[in-house]
Amino acid sequence: MRSAEFNREAVLRAAMNAFMEKGFNKTSMQDLKQATGLHPGSIYCAFENKKGLLLAALEQYNLDRNTELQAIFSNEKDAKSGLSAYLGNIVAECVSGDPTQSCLSQKAINEIAQTDEQAQAVLSQQCVMWQSVMREVFVQAGEEGDLSGARLPEQRAQSLIVGIYGLRTFSQAQKDPDVISAIAEQLLIDVCR
Amino acid sequence: MRSAEFNREAVLRAAMNAFMEKGFNKTSMQDLKQATGLHPGSIYCAFENKKGLLLAALEQYNLDRNTELQAIFSNEKDAKSGLSAYLGNIVAECVSGDPTQSCLSQKAINEIAQTDEQAQAVLSQQCVMWQSVMREVFVQAGEEGDLSGARLPEQRAQSLIVGIYGLRTFSQAQKDPDVISAIAEQLLIDVCR
DNA sequence: ATAGCTCTTGAATGATCATTCAAATAAGGC
DNA sequence: GCCTTATTTGAATGATCATTCAAGAGCTAT
């Protein structure tokens, strides 16, 4: 036996960044070798192939984003404030122009979900989990009296996620921070109405 | 002199479909040769290179989508009905699962706007034009008394476009037609409130 | 009809791609 | 401390990539 020398999380985060900067198809194994510090053979030994590395990176990305989400919400006094802080965070990422602050899941959905069944399955499941996390946030917001209308928490969660996907796409075509920020504020109003 | 033998619009629509099915980077010149019926040399003679073909295809795509949009709205009795029909059309495209019914502009924004300045400029301008078209729709809807709140037509247009981008991304991860349809209906309510 | 130009053809080019492999290296079980 | 087994290394592989180019073909103007 022999254990791997590299730090798996660090390698996956490096791969994440590489994929976010160039997209999956434009990121070459040479790029990944440089980003991760791993030789081609090691990458194939540990992750099967390039797509395997992407799938592993997506898994790590989801874990990282989830802990980040928990941190943001636990710093706020209630669910509504949490939502506001969460959206504020996303707006900041959109406006930063930094490719490594974009959403790897969303990039993968747009680039490869359509043509790769395995990636489609992983991304679909991750999206469903994201929905269920956000649904609980809206359940709590309802209990705290911050939702006026009668929409189901599930539907609010779906509208929020659609809004976030849309915001990220829109912000690549229209970079004005004030515009992005205003759309996000309206989104918060609409999903809490 | 000698005029080109191929039908430019037909070639661009064939290229559009190829790019929508595989994305820009995964579509090889061989794919484009097969899709368009043009030999590599002819493509380079007419469009400079692969990216030039994409930019030309994006231009044609925008023209085609615009005439389609005009047709949808002119078939309806007022702006609000037009919006409803327009969104219904988009929902049908999302649910179809047909790659050639996806949005080439959105795919390009997500795949190459980040890394290619020229594409970014074209896509940004097209997005702004889309906004201004939709703004006029909301101006009309306001005059017809179908908007209750006080939001500016510009902001409504931006929220609508964000919602459409989001819907298209979301629908690749969550394919349930009822869910997509419900989100779209809520979107219409929110932007007309 | 012919000259002159442009488009078409499709093989050739060199670069780059993902992947493989055999040798070298190192860790754990006994 | 050796033996087994796994990982690391990095050059090699063959495929595929975008692009070029020289030769052939056809339109147009004269």
Side-chain angles (χ1 to χ4, degrees):
Chain A
M1 284 291 197
R2 181 186 173 189
S3 50
E5 287 179 4
F6 62 86
N7 177 335
R8 187 182 163 94
E9 291 189 12
V11 161
L12 290 179
R13 294 202 182 99
M16 272 170 35
N17 288 343
F19 285 135
M20 284 195 279
E21 283 184 38
K22 291 196 176 189
F24 177 71
N25 286 308
K26 255 290 172 122
T27 304
S28 66
M29 286 304 295
Q30 198 170 320
D31 292 333
L32 291 168
K33 175 191 163 178
Q34 183 152 23
T36 63
L38 257 51
H39 292 254
S42 294
I43 294 179
Y44 279 80
C45 181
F47 304 105
E48 181 99 4
N49 54 26
K50 189 182 160 189
K51 201 185 85 181
L53 179 56
L54 174 72
L55 294 176
L58 275 170
E59 207 171 321
Q60 185 65 49
Y61 179 78
N62 214 42
L63 288 174
D64 289 356
R65 282 297 202 178
N66 221 60
T67 54
E68 186 196 27
L69 184 148
Q70 303 292 345
I72 290 171
F73 277 89
S74 65
N75 269 349
E76 301 296 325
K77 63 180 194 300
D78 54 28
K80 178 94 181 270
S81 311
L83 280 170
S84 180
Y86 184 53
L87 275 172
N89 217 57
I90 289 169
V91 167
E93 288 179 347
C94 288
V95 163
S96 75
D98 177 3
T100 67
Q101 290 197 254
S102 63
C103 176
L104 182 61
S105 297
Q106 179 165 3
K107 287 214 79 167
I109 287 175
N110 277 286
E111 192 180 354
I112 57 167
Q114 195 174 85
T115 50
D116 186 283
E117 219 169 296
Q118 199 177 355
Q120 145 77 33
V122 169
L123 291 163
S124 176
Q125 193 208 338
Q126 290 188 352
C127 184
V128 168
M129 285 191 60
W130 187 17
Q131 271 174 253
S132 76
V133 170
M134 296 316 299
R135 186 188 55 224
E136 291 313 304
V137 171
F138 283 107
V139 167
Q140 191 186 331
E143 288 166 355
E144 290 164 349
D146 285 326
L147 306 179
S148 40
R151 294 179 67 195
L152 293 174
E154 179 101 40
Q155 293 171 335
R156 294 178 191 271
Q158 286 162 350
S159 286
L160 178 67
I161 287 173
V162 164
I164 291 170
Y165 281 147
L167 205 59
R168 289 202 123 106
T169 299
F170 186 88
S171 69
Q172 298 218 325
Q174 176 97 31
K175 305 243 181 200
D176 185 337
D178 295 338
V179 171
I180 304 301
S181 185
I183 298 171
E185 274 179 45
Q186 184 63 45
L187 177 61
L188 181 61
I189 292 172
D190 287 338
V191 295
C192 289
R193 206 186 291 261
Chain B
M1 282 290 198
R2 180 185 172 189
S3 52
E5 287 179 5
F6 64 86
N7 177 334
R8 186 182 163 94
E9 291 189 13
V11 162
L12 291 179
R13 294 201 183 100
M16 270 170 35
N17 288 342
F19 286 136
M20 284 195 279
E21 284 184 36
K22 291 196 177 189
F24 177 71
N25 286 308
K26 255 288 174 126
T27 304
S28 66
M29 285 305 295
Q30 197 170 321
D31 292 331
L32 291 168
K33 175 191 164 179
Q34 184 154 21
T36 63
L38 257 50
H39 292 254
S42 294
I43 294 179
Y44 280 80
C45 181
F47 304 105
E48 181 98 6
N49 53 28
K50 187 181 160 188
K51 201 183 85 181
L53 178 55
L54 174 72
L55 295 177
L58 276 170
E59 207 171 320
Q60 185 64 48
Y61 179 77
N62 214 43
L63 288 174
D64 288 355
R65 282 297 202 180
N66 221 61
T67 52
E68 186 197 26
L69 184 149
Q70 303 292 345
I72 290 171
F73 277 90
S74 65
N75 269 349
E76 302 294 325
K77 62 181 196 298
D78 54 27
K80 179 94 180 270
S81 312
L83 281 170
S84 180
Y86 184 53
L87 275 172
N89 217 57
I90 289 169
V91 167
E93 289 179 347
C94 288
V95 162
S96 76
D98 178 3
T100 67
Q101 289 198 254
S102 63
C103 176
L104 182 61
S105 296
Q106 180 166 0
K107 287 213 79 165
I109 287 174
N110 277 286
E111 192 178 354
I112 57 167
Q114 194 174 85
T115 50
D116 186 284
E117 219 169 296
Q118 199 178 353
Q120 144 77 32
V122 169
L123 290 164
S124 175
Q125 193 209 338
Q126 290 188 352
C127 184
V128 168
M129 285 191 59
W130 188 17
Q131 271 173 253
S132 76
V133 170
M134 297 316 298
R135 185 188 57 223
E136 290 314 304
V137 171
F138 283 107
V139 167
Q140 193 186 329
E143 288 167 354
E144 290 165 349
D146 284 326
L147 306 179
S148 40
R151 294 179 67 194
L152 294 174
E154 179 102 38
Q155 294 171 335
R156 295 178 190 271
Q158 287 161 350
S159 287
L160 178 67
I161 287 173
V162 164
I164 291 170
Y165 282 147
L167 205 59
R168 290 202 122 106
T169 299
F170 186 88
S171 69
Q172 299 220 325
Q174 175 98 31
K175 305 243 179 196
D176 185 337
D178 295 338
V179 170
I180 304 301
S181 186
I183 297 170
E185 273 179 46
Q186 184 64 45
L187 177 61
L188 181 61
I189 292 172
D190 287 338
V191 295
C192 289
R193 207 186 291 261

